[in-house]
Amino acid sequence: MSERIRLALPGKGALEAATMNFLAECGLKVRRSNPRQYLASMKSLPDVEVVFQRAADIPALVQSGDAALGITGYDILAEHRGYGDDVTDEVEEDEEVLVLVKDLGYGSCRLVVAVPETWIDVSTCADLWHLVGYYRQHKGRGLRIATKYPVLTGQFLRRHNITHCKIFSPHGALEAAPLTDTADLIVDLTETGTTLRENHLKLLEDGVVLRSQSCLIGNARLLGQDAHALKMTEIILEMIDARVQARNRSLLTAYVSCNDQELVQQTCARINQRLKAMGISTEFRLMTPDDGAAPGSYTISGVARVGDSAPELLEIIAVLRAAGATHVHVTPITYRFTESSVSVRALRERLKRLR
């Protein structure tokens, strides 16, 4: 019997719920009889053991090999590795932790520099640089910056030539630090910026340290040496890729009454030209006639991003109706498999370079 591989998942908060929902959508539903249990399984992949951990601990767990795979926030991984997006391929190839899918499509947020809104003359990092000099000259100290991401914050400041700052990680909510005068500014995660504004903080115009979202990571050594672990990982990547490709997409099927197949093809071409002129990427094609279809009836179909915009869907419907199409069916797509999985192909190429 093959040894089970371990997948580490976030065990608390919104990221846990979102991850469980996402995996279920991918056909990888996690079976967990008790929410307090740390171990769980997948019915569709019995050889995968699921372990729930703090999201902050998952990169180290994968790096050590205690888990072959893990899902966590990209911000957490970047802080653990000591660098963000500004990294060369050569550096990534030396890493023990591989980013298998950088964006799983949920958990999006930004790591940003936020200053008191009373600092009316500070709106960019250049302004912050000037303020550092003012503090040193008139207050005899540097700026105090509260953050849970000291490594990424330090790198960001150095890129903007901002030095002589005290970076520290306080307990509790960071937004309160400037209000209680324990810090001058903060570097924190935000989704919409609402919480920052409610605490009288504002974002710098060029103060985005990192854009983050949930990501899938893997241990390079285990995947390179264990064929079974690699096989399970490729199955997971295939299902994730297929689900991400299908997200917000639906199959539109319309029926056209006509006795001439060539005329239907011309109608289909006019529909596509009209949609292209409207900036809509959906392309309709004539389906192979069904032996059981009614005489003089043809079917055309196309894939559209229905979930993104209801008005765009209705614009497509209007074009189909104007061309004589009737009974337009909209069927959500669960999975969309391409010629080959981009993530699987990328993983194989990276493992080859590591050998």
Side-chain angles (χ1 to χ4, degrees), residues 290-346:
D290 188 350
D291 293 337
S297 177
Y298 289 88
T299 303
I300 61 175
S301 67
V303 175
R305 282 187 170 273
V306 174
D308 285 353
S309 171
E312 182 174 310
L313 170 62
L314 294 180
E315 288 178 351
I316 297 174
I317 299 298
V319 171
L320 292 172
R321 286 171 172 167
T326 60
H327 303 295
V328 181
H329 296 170
V330 180
T331 308
I333 298 176
T334 305
Y335 304 111
R336 193 185 194 199
F337 293 94
T338 54
E339 183 178 356
S340 64
S341 166
V342 174
S343 297
V344 170
R345 187 168 64 247

Side-chain angles (χ1 to χ4, degrees), residues 30-294:
V30 176
R31 295 190 301 183
R32 190 184 190 187
S33 58
N34 187 328
R36 294 183 179 180
Q37 289 180 337
Y38 286 98
L39 294 180
S41 61
M42 288 182 178
K43 184 177 180 180
S44 58
L45 285 177
D47 287 349
V48 174
E49 178 183 61
V50 176
V51 57
F52 291 94
Q53 295 288 330
R54 291 196 317 147
D57 295 333
I58 290 177
L61 201 66
V62 173
Q63 182 175 10
S64 67
D66 289 331
L69 305 170
I71 291 179
T72 188
Y74 186 71
D75 55 295
I76 294 172
L77 175 66
E79 180 72 12
H80 174 80
R81 295 197 300 187
Y83 57 82
D85 295 328
D86 54 338
V87 59
T88 63
D89 291 338
E90 288 77 9
V91 173
E92 277 196 327
E93 288 176 11
D94 290 336
E95 286 293 327
E96 296 172 336
V97 178
L98 299 177
V99 180
L100 305 180
V101 182
K102 184 178 178 181
D103 187 356
L104 294 174
Y106 65 93
S108 298
C109 57
R110 294 170 297 161
L111 183 62
V112 300
V113 179
V115 303
E117 59 185 19
T118 54
W119 290 8
I120 57 175
D121 294 328
V122 179
S123 58
T124 67
C125 288
D127 297 332
L128 196 62
W129 179 85
H130 286 291
L131 189 64
V132 170
Y134 174 85
Y135 264 64
R136 290 192 66 197
Q137 182 177 355
H138 296 278
K139 295 191 176 185
R141 66 172 178 85
L143 288 174
R144 300 164 299 168
I145 303 175
T147 183
K148 304 292 185 180
Y149 299 85
V151 175
L152 294 176
T153 298
Q155 292 176 348
F156 180 81
L157 295 175
R158 286 191 293 274
R159 285 201 299 272
H160 289 274
N161 297 315
I162 299 173
T163 56
H164 303 289
C165 295
K166 178 185 177 182
I167 301 173
F168 67 102
S169 301
H171 298 290
L174 293 179
E175 294 89 353
L179 295 175
T180 57
D181 196 33
T182 56
D184 300 302
L185 65 145
I186 68 172
V187 175
D188 197 12
L189 291 177
T190 183
E191 292 183 34
T192 62
T194 301
T195 303
L196 295 176
R197 289 191 294 272
E198 289 176 346
N199 286 277
H200 308 292
L201 297 168
K202 65 178 182 178
L203 278 62
L204 296 186
E205 294 174 2
D206 53 352
V208 177
V209 178
L210 184 79
R211 297 184 186 277
S212 179
Q213 59 285 316
S214 298
C215 62
L216 175 68
I217 59 178
N219 181 283
R221 178 182 54 81
L222 285 177
L223 298 183
Q225 298 177 359
D226 188 332
H228 181 64
L230 179 59
K231 180 180 179 181
M232 292 297 101
T233 300
E234 290 182 350
I235 292 174
I236 291 173
L237 289 176
E238 279 275 12
M239 298 306 296
I240 288 176
D241 274 3
R243 178 57 194 153
V244 170
Q245 283 290 323
R247 183 178 284 147
N248 293 327
R249 286 187 169 93
S250 291
L251 177 66
L252 273 62
T253 305
Y255 298 91
V256 179
S257 297
C258 185
N259 292 316
D260 190 330
Q261 181 173 334
E262 186 175 344
L263 286 178
V264 177
Q265 289 177 331
Q266 293 174 1
T267 299
C268 198
R270 288 197 300 272
I271 290 173
N272 291 334
Q273 289 174 357
R274 175 61 179 154
L275 293 175
K276 185 176 182 180
M278 295 167 62
I280 299 175
S281 59
T282 301
E283 181 176 335
F284 283 86
R285 296 180 182 180
L286 176 64
M287 298 179 66
T288 303
D290 188 350
D291 293 337

